[in-house]
């Protein structure tokens, strides 16, 4: 999906039932929503909504938890609306790869991924303030990275295009050494599975779970296994 965003991304065909609030400061998620024709506002989740990787947690479990926490954080600060939260990580040979902390960390990730197939997982949570209910899901995309030459690695690191991106790469940047395997979602790699989002919105009322509006403190017990 080179040159994101593009005009044929799947959108929600019906009128949006509530004002959509993106609980993320990611410009890439905002671009995807805009390209698909969604109307939304942005209210990023606080830093405290993310507690990092839990030692006994799989990549799908991690993104599901963090998407939930981000939505839970923002829902307590809005009077009305449908909060959309997401979290994306890469996973390779059992290692969870989030956003690199610096250039050396980015290089370590890329050397691990070089020449390997790996997975990108995005957790998505939609939370209705009006109806106090939510839906959540995790989408996986299989990616294949060619063996990186030292020249390709240095060029990518020097470009800083790894900054703020899970796995130290951006699929939308048009790198010819990355490809999606099969028919998996390309937008999922960018940070928001647009196909699944449209389905979650369409079936929200049927599938939503009722829950009392939480605070971050009230769900800390869920994360007690973090270490």
């Amino acid at each position: 999906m080179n040159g994101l965003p593009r005009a044929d991304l799947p959108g929600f065909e019906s009128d949006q039932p509530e004002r959509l609030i993106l609980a993320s400061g990611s410009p890439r998620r905002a671009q995807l929503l805009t390209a698909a024709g969604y109307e939304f506002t942005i209210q990023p989740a606080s830093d405290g909504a993310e507690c990092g990787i839990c030692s006994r947690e799989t990549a799908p479990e991690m993104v599901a938890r963090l998407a939930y926490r981000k939505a839970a954080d923002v829902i307590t600060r809005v009077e009305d609306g449908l909060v959309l939260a997401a979290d994306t990580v890469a996973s390779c040979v059992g290692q969870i790869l989030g956003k690199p902390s610096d250039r050396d960390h980015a290089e370590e990730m890329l050397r691990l991924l070089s020449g390997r197939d790996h997975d990108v997982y995005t957790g998505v949570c939609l939370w209705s303030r009006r109806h106090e209910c939510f839906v959540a899901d995790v989408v996986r995309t299989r990616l294949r990275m060619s063996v990186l030459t030292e020249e390709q690695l240095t060029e990518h690191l020097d470009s800083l295009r790894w900054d703020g991106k899970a796995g130290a790469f951006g699929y939308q940047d048009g790198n010819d050494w990355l490809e999606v395997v099969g028919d998996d979602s390309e937008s999922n790699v960018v940070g928001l599975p647009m196909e699944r989002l449209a389905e979650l919105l369409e079936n929200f009322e049927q599938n939503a779970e009722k829950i009392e509006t939480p605070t971050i403190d009230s769900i800390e017990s869920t994360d007690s296994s973090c270490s």
Side-chain angles (χ1 to χ4, degrees):
M1 185 177 281
N2 299 343
L4 267 177
R6 72 185 190 192
D8 59 345
L9 289 168
F12 183 43
E13 297 298 328
S14 305
D15 293 336
Q16 292 175 201
E18 297 178 71
R19 176 175 63 103
L20 191 64
I21 303 167
L22 178 61
S24 172
S26 165
R28 294 170 292 281
R29 292 189 177 117
Q31 287 170 349
L32 286 169
L33 289 172
T34 299
Y38 287 96
E39 295 182 1
F40 62 98
T41 58
I42 296 174
Q43 186 161 345
S46 64
D47 292 341
E50 300 185 53
C51 81
I53 299 173
C54 295
S55 59
R56 292 178 295 278
E57 198 171 33
T58 66
E61 289 169 342
M62 176 183 173
V63 294
R65 173 177 60 84
L66 292 179
Y68 176 91
R69 285 178 60 87
K70 291 175 182 180
D73 173 70
V74 172
I75 203 71
T76 61
R77 294 187 274 119
V78 299
E79 295 183 359
D80 191 37
L82 188 63
V83 173
L84 166 61
D87 194 82
T88 303
V89 299
S91 178
C92 184
V93 293
Q95 294 192 41
I96 297 176
L97 308 177
K99 299 173 184 177
S101 55
D102 53 29
R103 181 189 173 102
D104 288 344
H105 192 200
E107 180 177 353
E108 179 184 342
M109 289 183 179
L110 291 167
R111 290 191 182 279
L112 175 67
L113 293 168
S114 177
R116 289 189 169 102
D117 286 5
H118 61 282
D119 296 310
V120 173
Y121 294 93
T122 298
V124 178
C125 185
L126 281 167
W127 202 310
S128 168
R129 177 61 157 156
R130 184 181 305 170
H131 302 292
E132 301 295 7
C133 57
F134 78 97
V135 293
D137 201 7
V138 174
V139 176
R140 184 195 79 159
T141 296
R142 189 74 168 169
L143 275 179
R144 178 166 297 146
M145 184 180 289
S146 302
V147 176
L148 295 176
T149 66
E150 290 300 316
E151 181 180 0
Q152 287 173 319
L153 181 61
T154 300
E155 188 278 329
H156 185 69
L157 292 171
D158 288 345
S159 73
L160 300 182
R161 290 194 299 268
W162 49 267
D163 190 26
K165 297 172 182 174
F169 64 84
Y171 182 72
Q172 71 277 14
D173 293 333
N175 300 306
D176 58 8
W177 34 265
L178 270 176
E179 64 174 322
V180 169
V181 177
D183 296 324
D184 288 356
S185 171
E186 293 181 313
S187 62
N188 186 56
V189 186
V190 184
L192 200 56
M194 300 303 293
E195 304 87 352
R196 187 60 180 136
L197 174 61
E199 294 171 353
L200 291 174
L201 283 166
E202 184 174 355
N203 301 301
F204 184 82
E205 293 184 8
Q206 299 96 302
N207 297 329
E209 299 182 29
K210 287 284 185 180
I211 191 166
E212 293 183 4
T213 301
T215 63
I216 290 298
D217 289 341
S218 71
I219 59 174
E220 284 298 330
S221 59
T222 306
D223 307 320
S224 59
S225 61
C226 292
S227 60

